[in-house]
PDB file of all heavy atoms in Angstrom:
ATOM      1  N   LEU A  72       6.636  75.541  81.471  1.00  0.00           N
ATOM      2  CA  LEU A  72       7.941  75.574  80.813  1.00  0.00           C
ATOM      3  C   LEU A  72       9.057  75.772  81.827  1.00  0.00           C
ATOM      4  O   LEU A  72      10.071  75.067  81.808  1.00  0.00           O
ATOM      5  CB  LEU A  72       7.962  76.696  79.773  1.00  0.00           C
ATOM      6  CG  LEU A  72       9.300  76.929  79.060  1.00  0.00           C
ATOM      7  CD1 LEU A  72       9.715  75.691  78.278  1.00  0.00           C
ATOM      8  CD2 LEU A  72       9.202  78.138  78.136  1.00  0.00           C
ATOM      9  N   PHE A  73       8.876  76.717  82.751  1.00  0.00           N
ATOM     10  CA  PHE A  73       9.886  76.957  83.774  1.00  0.00           C
ATOM     11  C   PHE A  73       9.891  75.839  84.816  1.00  0.00           C
ATOM     12  O   PHE A  73      10.930  75.535  85.400  1.00  0.00           O
ATOM     13  CB  PHE A  73       9.640  78.305  84.446  1.00  0.00           C
ATOM     14  CG  PHE A  73       9.914  79.476  83.554  1.00  0.00           C
ATOM     15  CD1 PHE A  73       8.883  80.153  82.927  1.00  0.00           C
ATOM     16  CD2 PHE A  73      11.206  79.908  83.320  1.00  0.00           C
ATOM     17  CE1 PHE A  73       9.120  81.234  82.092  1.00  0.00           C
ATOM     18  CE2 PHE A  73      11.472  80.985  82.485  1.00  0.00           C
ATOM     19  CZ  PHE A  73      10.422  81.644  81.877  1.00  0.00           C
ATOM     20  N   TYR A  76      12.309  73.103  84.185  1.00  0.00           N
ATOM     21  CA  TYR A  76      13.724  73.449  84.375  1.00  0.00           C
ATOM     22  C   TYR A  76      13.873  74.255  85.663  1.00  0.00           C
ATOM     23  O   TYR A  76      14.309  75.409  85.639  1.00  0.00           O
ATOM     24  CB  TYR A  76      14.240  74.252  83.182  1.00  0.00           C
ATOM     25  CG  TYR A  76      14.141  73.533  81.858  1.00  0.00           C
ATOM     26  CD1 TYR A  76      12.973  73.602  81.093  1.00  0.00           C
ATOM     27  CD2 TYR A  76      15.216  72.793  81.355  1.00  0.00           C
ATOM     28  CE1 TYR A  76      12.882  72.956  79.867  1.00  0.00           C
ATOM     29  CE2 TYR A  76      15.132  72.140  80.131  1.00  0.00           C
ATOM     30  CZ  TYR A  76      13.954  72.228  79.399  1.00  0.00           C
ATOM     31  OH  TYR A  76      13.867  71.578  78.179  1.00  0.00           O
ATOM     32  N   LEU A  79      17.653  75.563  86.747  1.00  0.00           N
ATOM     33  CA  LEU A  79      18.111  76.618  85.846  1.00  0.00           C
ATOM     34  C   LEU A  79      17.305  77.891  86.050  1.00  0.00           C
ATOM     35  O   LEU A  79      17.858  79.004  86.023  1.00  0.00           O
ATOM     36  CB  LEU A  79      18.003  76.144  84.399  1.00  0.00           C
ATOM     37  CG  LEU A  79      18.444  77.131  83.313  1.00  0.00           C
ATOM     38  CD1 LEU A  79      19.880  77.574  83.540  1.00  0.00           C
ATOM     39  CD2 LEU A  79      18.270  76.513  81.925  1.00  0.00           C
ATOM     40  N   THR A  80      16.013  77.746  86.280  1.00  0.00           N
ATOM     41  CA  THR A  80      15.160  78.909  86.526  1.00  0.00           C
ATOM     42  C   THR A  80      15.583  79.646  87.786  1.00  0.00           C
ATOM     43  O   THR A  80      15.681  80.882  87.800  1.00  0.00           O
ATOM     44  CB  THR A  80      13.684  78.476  86.641  1.00  0.00           C
ATOM     45  OG1 THR A  80      13.270  77.876  85.408  1.00  0.00           O
ATOM     46  CG2 THR A  80      12.783  79.661  86.941  1.00  0.00           C
ATOM     47  N   HIS A  83      18.707  81.619  87.443  1.00  0.00           N
ATOM     48  CA  HIS A  83      18.470  82.848  86.686  1.00  0.00           C
ATOM     49  C   HIS A  83      17.742  83.910  87.513  1.00  0.00           C
ATOM     50  O   HIS A  83      18.111  85.094  87.465  1.00  0.00           O
ATOM     51  CB  HIS A  83      17.649  82.521  85.439  1.00  0.00           C
ATOM     52  CG  HIS A  83      17.422  83.690  84.531  1.00  0.00           C
ATOM     53  ND1 HIS A  83      18.439  84.285  83.820  1.00  0.00           N
ATOM     54  CD2 HIS A  83      16.282  84.387  84.226  1.00  0.00           C
ATOM     55  CE1 HIS A  83      17.946  85.294  83.109  1.00  0.00           C
ATOM     56  NE2 HIS A  83      16.643  85.379  83.348  1.00  0.00           N
ATOM     57  N   VAL A 123      25.771  86.221  86.171  1.00  0.00           N
ATOM     58  CA  VAL A 123      25.014  84.965  86.313  1.00  0.00           C
ATOM     59  C   VAL A 123      23.723  85.037  85.506  1.00  0.00           C
ATOM     60  O   VAL A 123      23.341  84.081  84.821  1.00  0.00           O
ATOM     61  CB  VAL A 123      24.714  84.676  87.796  1.00  0.00           C
ATOM     62  CG1 VAL A 123      23.837  83.434  87.939  1.00  0.00           C
ATOM     63  CG2 VAL A 123      26.015  84.491  88.572  1.00  0.00           C
ATOM     64  N   ILE A 124      23.051  86.182  85.572  1.00  0.00           N
ATOM     65  CA  ILE A 124      21.810  86.365  84.814  1.00  0.00           C
ATOM     66  C   ILE A 124      22.062  86.218  83.320  1.00  0.00           C
ATOM     67  O   ILE A 124      21.339  85.516  82.607  1.00  0.00           O
ATOM     68  CB  ILE A 124      21.198  87.749  85.108  1.00  0.00           C
ATOM     69  CG1 ILE A 124      20.725  87.842  86.555  1.00  0.00           C
ATOM     70  CG2 ILE A 124      20.032  88.043  84.166  1.00  0.00           C
ATOM     71  CD1 ILE A 124      20.421  89.256  87.006  1.00  0.00           C
ATOM     72  N   GLY A 125      23.108  86.897  82.826  1.00  0.00           N
ATOM     73  CA  GLY A 125      23.393  86.877  81.404  1.00  0.00           C
ATOM     74  C   GLY A 125      23.763  85.497  80.887  1.00  0.00           C
ATOM     75  O   GLY A 125      23.256  85.049  79.851  1.00  0.00           O
ATOM     76  N   VAL A 126      24.636  84.803  81.622  1.00  0.00           N
ATOM     77  CA  VAL A 126      25.059  83.469  81.198  1.00  0.00           C
ATOM     78  C   VAL A 126      23.887  82.496  81.254  1.00  0.00           C
ATOM     79  O   VAL A 126      23.668  81.700  80.326  1.00  0.00           O
ATOM     80  CB  VAL A 126      26.233  82.968  82.070  1.00  0.00           C
ATOM     81  CG1 VAL A 126      26.552  81.507  81.764  1.00  0.00           C
ATOM     82  CG2 VAL A 126      27.467  83.831  81.834  1.00  0.00           C
ATOM     83  N   SER A 127      23.112  82.543  82.342  1.00  0.00           N
ATOM     84  CA  SER A 127      21.962  81.643  82.455  1.00  0.00           C
ATOM     85  C   SER A 127      20.911  81.964  81.400  1.00  0.00           C
ATOM     86  O   SER A 127      20.225  81.067  80.893  1.00  0.00           O
ATOM     87  CB  SER A 127      21.353  81.717  83.855  1.00  0.00           C
ATOM     88  OG  SER A 127      20.916  83.030  84.168  1.00  0.00           O
ATOM     89  N   ALA A 128      20.772  83.246  81.030  1.00  0.00           N
ATOM     90  CA  ALA A 128      19.832  83.622  79.966  1.00  0.00           C
ATOM     91  C   ALA A 128      20.258  83.004  78.633  1.00  0.00           C
ATOM     92  O   ALA A 128      19.417  82.544  77.849  1.00  0.00           O
ATOM     93  CB  ALA A 128      19.742  85.135  79.837  1.00  0.00           C
ATOM     94  N   LEU A 129      21.558  82.989  78.378  1.00  0.00           N
ATOM     95  CA  LEU A 129      22.060  82.351  77.157  1.00  0.00           C
ATOM     96  C   LEU A 129      21.770  80.852  77.168  1.00  0.00           C
ATOM     97  O   LEU A 129      21.347  80.280  76.156  1.00  0.00           O
ATOM     98  CB  LEU A 129      23.558  82.599  77.017  1.00  0.00           C
ATOM     99  CG  LEU A 129      23.994  83.959  76.470  1.00  0.00           C
ATOM    100  CD1 LEU A 129      25.507  84.076  76.484  1.00  0.00           C
ATOM    101  CD2 LEU A 129      23.456  84.166  75.061  1.00  0.00           C
ATOM    102  N   VAL A 130      22.008  80.220  78.326  1.00  0.00           N
ATOM    103  CA  VAL A 130      21.741  78.784  78.438  1.00  0.00           C
ATOM    104  C   VAL A 130      20.263  78.502  78.222  1.00  0.00           C
ATOM    105  O   VAL A 130      19.885  77.562  77.509  1.00  0.00           O
ATOM    106  CB  VAL A 130      22.205  78.253  79.812  1.00  0.00           C
ATOM    107  CG1 VAL A 130      21.797  76.797  79.996  1.00  0.00           C
ATOM    108  CG2 VAL A 130      23.714  78.398  79.957  1.00  0.00           C
ATOM    109  N   MET A 131      19.409  79.328  78.816  1.00  0.00           N
ATOM    110  CA  MET A 131      17.963  79.142  78.654  1.00  0.00           C
ATOM    111  C   MET A 131      17.537  79.379  77.204  1.00  0.00           C
ATOM    112  O   MET A 131      16.669  78.671  76.675  1.00  0.00           O
ATOM    113  CB  MET A 131      17.211  80.094  79.590  1.00  0.00           C
ATOM    114  CG  MET A 131      17.438  79.805  81.065  1.00  0.00           C
ATOM    115  SD  MET A 131      16.799  81.082  82.164  1.00  0.00           S
ATOM    116  CE  MET A 131      15.082  80.589  82.281  1.00  0.00           C
ATOM    117  N   SER A 132      18.143  80.374  76.561  1.00  0.00           N
ATOM    118  CA  SER A 132      17.781  80.671  75.177  1.00  0.00           C
ATOM    119  C   SER A 132      18.144  79.525  74.248  1.00  0.00           C
ATOM    120  O   SER A 132      17.412  79.218  73.296  1.00  0.00           O
ATOM    121  CB  SER A 132      18.488  81.949  74.713  1.00  0.00           C
ATOM    122  OG  SER A 132      18.103  83.053  75.488  1.00  0.00           O
ATOM    123  N   LEU A 133      19.288  78.883  74.519  1.00  0.00           N
ATOM    124  CA  LEU A 133      19.772  77.831  73.631  1.00  0.00           C
ATOM    125  C   LEU A 133      19.303  76.440  74.042  1.00  0.00           C
ATOM    126  O   LEU A 133      19.229  75.546  73.199  1.00  0.00           O
ATOM    127  CB  LEU A 133      21.307  77.863  73.595  1.00  0.00           C
ATOM    128  CG  LEU A 133      21.935  79.173  73.095  1.00  0.00           C
ATOM    129  CD1 LEU A 133      23.450  79.124  73.232  1.00  0.00           C
ATOM    130  CD2 LEU A 133      21.538  79.454  71.650  1.00  0.00           C
ATOM    131  N   GLY A 134      18.991  76.255  75.341  1.00  0.00           N
ATOM    132  CA  GLY A 134      18.682  74.919  75.834  1.00  0.00           C
ATOM    133  C   GLY A 134      17.235  74.655  76.178  1.00  0.00           C
ATOM    134  O   GLY A 134      16.836  73.493  76.341  1.00  0.00           O
ATOM    135  N   MET A 135      16.427  75.710  76.289  1.00  0.00           N
ATOM    136  CA  MET A 135      15.021  75.551  76.621  1.00  0.00           C
ATOM    137  C   MET A 135      14.162  75.906  75.417  1.00  0.00           C
ATOM    138  O   MET A 135      14.498  76.835  74.672  1.00  0.00           O
ATOM    139  CB  MET A 135      14.630  76.459  77.806  1.00  0.00           C
ATOM    140  CG  MET A 135      15.191  76.039  79.136  1.00  0.00           C
ATOM    141  SD  MET A 135      14.834  77.254  80.457  1.00  0.00           S
ATOM    142  CE  MET A 135      13.027  77.328  80.402  1.00  0.00           C
ATOM    143  N   PRO A 136      13.060  75.204  75.224  1.00  0.00           N
ATOM    144  CA  PRO A 136      12.159  75.605  74.135  1.00  0.00           C
ATOM    145  C   PRO A 136      11.542  76.966  74.433  1.00  0.00           C
ATOM    146  O   PRO A 136      11.150  77.244  75.566  1.00  0.00           O
ATOM    147  CB  PRO A 136      11.097  74.500  74.130  1.00  0.00           C
ATOM    148  CG  PRO A 136      11.154  73.892  75.494  1.00  0.00           C
ATOM    149  CD  PRO A 136      12.572  74.005  75.939  1.00  0.00           C
ATOM    150  N   ALA A 137      11.492  77.816  73.435  1.00  0.00           N
ATOM    151  CA  ALA A 137      10.936  79.163  73.595  1.00  0.00           C
ATOM    152  C   ALA A 137       9.497  79.193  73.111  1.00  0.00           C
ATOM    153  O   ALA A 137       9.191  78.672  72.033  1.00  0.00           O
ATOM    154  CB  ALA A 137      11.771  80.176  72.816  1.00  0.00           C
ATOM    155  N   ILE A 138       8.626  79.788  73.915  1.00  0.00           N
ATOM    156  CA  ILE A 138       7.224  79.895  73.520  1.00  0.00           C
ATOM    157  C   ILE A 138       7.093  80.671  72.214  1.00  0.00           C
ATOM    158  O   ILE A 138       6.286  80.344  71.356  1.00  0.00           O
ATOM    159  CB  ILE A 138       6.406  80.557  74.637  1.00  0.00           C
ATOM    160  CG1 ILE A 138       6.317  79.615  75.844  1.00  0.00           C
ATOM    161  CG2 ILE A 138       5.008  80.930  74.158  1.00  0.00           C
ATOM    162  CD1 ILE A 138       5.569  80.186  77.011  1.00  0.00           C
ATOM    163  N   GLY A 139       7.926  81.696  72.058  1.00  0.00           N
ATOM    164  CA  GLY A 139       7.904  82.494  70.834  1.00  0.00           C
ATOM    165  C   GLY A 139       8.765  81.954  69.721  1.00  0.00           C
ATOM    166  O   GLY A 139       8.974  82.642  68.713  1.00  0.00           O
ATOM    167  N   GLY A 140       9.292  80.745  69.902  1.00  0.00           N
ATOM    168  CA  GLY A 140      10.066  80.115  68.856  1.00  0.00           C
ATOM    169  C   GLY A 140      11.398  80.797  68.586  1.00  0.00           C
ATOM    170  O   GLY A 140      12.004  81.410  69.469  1.00  0.00           O
ATOM    171  N   VAL A 141      11.841  80.715  67.335  1.00  0.00           N
ATOM    172  CA  VAL A 141      13.148  81.252  66.943  1.00  0.00           C
ATOM    173  C   VAL A 141      13.208  82.762  67.149  1.00  0.00           C
ATOM    174  O   VAL A 141      14.249  83.308  67.529  1.00  0.00           O
ATOM    175  CB  VAL A 141      13.448  80.897  65.468  1.00  0.00           C
ATOM    176  CG1 VAL A 141      14.753  81.553  65.010  1.00  0.00           C
ATOM    177  CG2 VAL A 141      13.519  79.392  65.283  1.00  0.00           C
ATOM    178  N   ASN A 142      12.106  83.450  66.919  1.00  0.00           N
ATOM    179  CA  ASN A 142      12.079  84.904  67.066  1.00  0.00           C
ATOM    180  C   ASN A 142      12.396  85.317  68.504  1.00  0.00           C
ATOM    181  O   ASN A 142      13.212  86.213  68.741  1.00  0.00           O
ATOM    182  CB  ASN A 142      10.704  85.434  66.658  1.00  0.00           C
ATOM    183  CG  ASN A 142      10.697  86.940  66.458  1.00  0.00           C
ATOM    184  OD1 ASN A 142      11.734  87.555  66.237  1.00  0.00           O
ATOM    185  ND2 ASN A 142       9.528  87.543  66.520  1.00  0.00           N
ATOM    186  N   GLN A 143      11.780  84.667  69.470  1.00  0.00           N
ATOM    187  CA  GLN A 143      12.061  84.972  70.869  1.00  0.00           C
ATOM    188  C   GLN A 143      13.477  84.573  71.246  1.00  0.00           C
ATOM    189  O   GLN A 143      14.188  85.320  71.927  1.00  0.00           O
ATOM    190  CB  GLN A 143      11.068  84.249  71.779  1.00  0.00           C
ATOM    191  CG  GLN A 143      11.321  84.477  73.266  1.00  0.00           C
ATOM    192  CD  GLN A 143      10.424  83.628  74.145  1.00  0.00           C
ATOM    193  OE1 GLN A 143       9.350  83.191  73.733  1.00  0.00           O
ATOM    194  NE2 GLN A 143      10.860  83.358  75.360  1.00  0.00           N
ATOM    195  N   ALA A 144      13.916  83.387  70.813  1.00  0.00           N
ATOM    196  CA  ALA A 144      15.259  82.916  71.142  1.00  0.00           C
ATOM    197  C   ALA A 144      16.320  83.851  70.570  1.00  0.00           C
ATOM    198  O   ALA A 144      17.346  84.112  71.214  1.00  0.00           O
ATOM    199  CB  ALA A 144      15.458  81.495  70.622  1.00  0.00           C
ATOM    200  N   ALA A 145      16.076  84.377  69.370  1.00  0.00           N
ATOM    201  CA  ALA A 145      17.025  85.310  68.761  1.00  0.00           C
ATOM    202  C   ALA A 145      17.133  86.589  69.579  1.00  0.00           C
ATOM    203  O   ALA A 145      18.239  87.112  69.809  1.00  0.00           O
ATOM    204  CB  ALA A 145      16.595  85.630  67.327  1.00  0.00           C
ATOM    205  N   ALA A 146      15.993  87.100  70.050  1.00  0.00           N
ATOM    206  CA  ALA A 146      15.991  88.326  70.847  1.00  0.00           C
ATOM    207  C   ALA A 146      16.722  88.122  72.167  1.00  0.00           C
ATOM    208  O   ALA A 146      17.574  88.930  72.555  1.00  0.00           O
ATOM    209  CB  ALA A 146      14.556  88.788  71.101  1.00  0.00           C
ATOM    210  N   THR A 147      16.398  87.039  72.877  1.00  0.00           N
ATOM    211  CA  THR A 147      17.024  86.813  74.182  1.00  0.00           C
ATOM    212  C   THR A 147      18.519  86.516  74.042  1.00  0.00           C
ATOM    213  O   THR A 147      19.321  86.950  74.872  1.00  0.00           O
ATOM    214  CB  THR A 147      16.329  85.658  74.916  1.00  0.00           C
ATOM    215  OG1 THR A 147      16.306  84.498  74.073  1.00  0.00           O
ATOM    216  CG2 THR A 147      14.906  86.031  75.284  1.00  0.00           C
ATOM    217  N   THR A 148      18.907  85.812  72.990  1.00  0.00           N
ATOM    218  CA  THR A 148      20.323  85.513  72.783  1.00  0.00           C
ATOM    219  C   THR A 148      21.109  86.781  72.468  1.00  0.00           C
ATOM    220  O   THR A 148      22.158  87.046  73.068  1.00  0.00           O
ATOM    221  CB  THR A 148      20.506  84.499  71.639  1.00  0.00           C
ATOM    222  OG1 THR A 148      19.819  83.284  71.964  1.00  0.00           O
ATOM    223  CG2 THR A 148      21.983  84.191  71.412  1.00  0.00           C
ATOM    224  N   LEU A 149      20.611  87.578  71.540  1.00  0.00           N
ATOM    225  CA  LEU A 149      21.307  88.801  71.147  1.00  0.00           C
ATOM    226  C   LEU A 149      21.466  89.758  72.317  1.00  0.00           C
ATOM    227  O   LEU A 149      22.560  90.272  72.580  1.00  0.00           O
ATOM    228  CB  LEU A 149      20.540  89.482  70.011  1.00  0.00           C
ATOM    229  CG  LEU A 149      21.083  90.851  69.573  1.00  0.00           C
ATOM    230  CD1 LEU A 149      22.483  90.711  68.992  1.00  0.00           C
ATOM    231  CD2 LEU A 149      20.143  91.499  68.554  1.00  0.00           C
ATOM    232  N   PHE A 150      20.381  89.977  73.053  1.00  0.00           N
ATOM    233  CA  PHE A 150      20.452  90.963  74.121  1.00  0.00           C
ATOM    234  C   PHE A 150      21.146  90.419  75.363  1.00  0.00           C
ATOM    235  O   PHE A 150      21.687  91.197  76.151  1.00  0.00           O
ATOM    236  CB  PHE A 150      19.046  91.489  74.438  1.00  0.00           C
ATOM    237  CG  PHE A 150      18.554  92.476  73.431  1.00  0.00           C
ATOM    238  CD1 PHE A 150      17.725  92.088  72.393  1.00  0.00           C
ATOM    239  CD2 PHE A 150      18.953  93.801  73.491  1.00  0.00           C
ATOM    240  CE1 PHE A 150      17.282  92.997  71.446  1.00  0.00           C
ATOM    241  CE2 PHE A 150      18.520  94.727  72.552  1.00  0.00           C
ATOM    242  CZ  PHE A 150      17.685  94.321  71.515  1.00  0.00           C
ATOM    243  N   ALA A 151      21.161  89.107  75.558  1.00  0.00           N
ATOM    244  CA  ALA A 151      21.975  88.537  76.641  1.00  0.00           C
ATOM    245  C   ALA A 151      23.451  88.770  76.371  1.00  0.00           C
ATOM    246  O   ALA A 151      24.222  89.109  77.287  1.00  0.00           O
ATOM    247  CB  ALA A 151      21.683  87.045  76.788  1.00  0.00           C
ATOM    248  N   ILE A 152      23.867  88.607  75.120  1.00  0.00           N
ATOM    249  CA  ILE A 152      25.266  88.857  74.748  1.00  0.00           C
ATOM    250  C   ILE A 152      25.604  90.339  74.942  1.00  0.00           C
ATOM    251  O   ILE A 152      26.656  90.683  75.494  1.00  0.00           O
ATOM    252  CB  ILE A 152      25.524  88.417  73.291  1.00  0.00           C
ATOM    253  CG1 ILE A 152      25.409  86.890  73.173  1.00  0.00           C
ATOM    254  CG2 ILE A 152      26.890  88.886  72.814  1.00  0.00           C
ATOM    255  CD1 ILE A 152      25.455  86.378  71.759  1.00  0.00           C
ATOM    256  N   LEU A 155      25.905  91.142  78.711  1.00  0.00           N
ATOM    257  CA  LEU A 155      27.184  90.714  79.272  1.00  0.00           C
ATOM    258  C   LEU A 155      28.315  91.624  78.813  1.00  0.00           C
ATOM    259  O   LEU A 155      29.208  91.977  79.597  1.00  0.00           O
ATOM    260  CB  LEU A 155      27.467  89.267  78.874  1.00  0.00           C
ATOM    261  CG  LEU A 155      26.574  88.203  79.520  1.00  0.00           C
ATOM    262  CD1 LEU A 155      26.787  86.846  78.856  1.00  0.00           C
ATOM    263  CD2 LEU A 155      26.849  88.107  81.017  1.00  0.00           C
ATOM    264  N   VAL A 187      13.069  93.074  81.104  1.00  0.00           N
ATOM    265  CA  VAL A 187      12.195  91.915  81.367  1.00  0.00           C
ATOM    266  C   VAL A 187      10.929  92.348  82.099  1.00  0.00           C
ATOM    267  O   VAL A 187       9.881  91.698  81.975  1.00  0.00           O
ATOM    268  CB  VAL A 187      12.938  90.834  82.170  1.00  0.00           C
ATOM    269  CG1 VAL A 187      14.105  90.271  81.384  1.00  0.00           C
ATOM    270  CG2 VAL A 187      13.426  91.376  83.514  1.00  0.00           C
ATOM    271  N   PHE A 216       9.314  90.567  73.134  1.00  0.00           N
ATOM    272  CA  PHE A 216      10.703  90.643  73.611  1.00  0.00           C
ATOM    273  C   PHE A 216      11.494  91.676  72.817  1.00  0.00           C
ATOM    274  O   PHE A 216      12.249  92.475  73.402  1.00  0.00           O
ATOM    275  CB  PHE A 216      11.360  89.262  73.512  1.00  0.00           C
ATOM    276  CG  PHE A 216      11.137  88.405  74.720  1.00  0.00           C
ATOM    277  CD1 PHE A 216       9.923  87.764  74.922  1.00  0.00           C
ATOM    278  CD2 PHE A 216      12.130  88.246  75.678  1.00  0.00           C
ATOM    279  CE1 PHE A 216       9.701  86.974  76.035  1.00  0.00           C
ATOM    280  CE2 PHE A 216      11.920  87.454  76.800  1.00  0.00           C
ATOM    281  CZ  PHE A 216      10.716  86.820  76.981  1.00  0.00           C
ATOM    282  N   PHE A 220      13.106  95.078  74.654  1.00  0.00           N
ATOM    283  CA  PHE A 220      14.553  95.312  74.661  1.00  0.00           C
ATOM    284  C   PHE A 220      14.929  96.571  73.880  1.00  0.00           C
ATOM    285  O   PHE A 220      15.755  97.378  74.344  1.00  0.00           O
ATOM    286  CB  PHE A 220      15.290  94.100  74.078  1.00  0.00           C
ATOM    287  CG  PHE A 220      15.384  92.930  75.005  1.00  0.00           C
ATOM    288  CD1 PHE A 220      14.991  91.664  74.587  1.00  0.00           C
ATOM    289  CD2 PHE A 220      15.870  93.076  76.296  1.00  0.00           C
ATOM    290  CE1 PHE A 220      15.077  90.568  75.437  1.00  0.00           C
ATOM    291  CE2 PHE A 220      15.958  91.994  77.162  1.00  0.00           C
ATOM    292  CZ  PHE A 220      15.567  90.737  76.729  1.00  0.00           C
TER     293      PHE A 220
END
Side-chain angles (χ1 to χ4, degrees):
L72 176 62
F73 290 101
Y76 300 87
L79 180 57
T80 299
H83 184 68
V123 176
I124 293 166
V126 172
S127 60
L129 280 176
V130 174
M131 295 170 83
S132 299
L133 300 175
M135 289 174 57
I138 291 178
V141 175
N142 194 21
Q143 178 186 337
T147 54
T148 300
L149 175 64
F150 283 97
I152 293 172
L155 290 170
V187 296
F216 273 77
F220 284 129

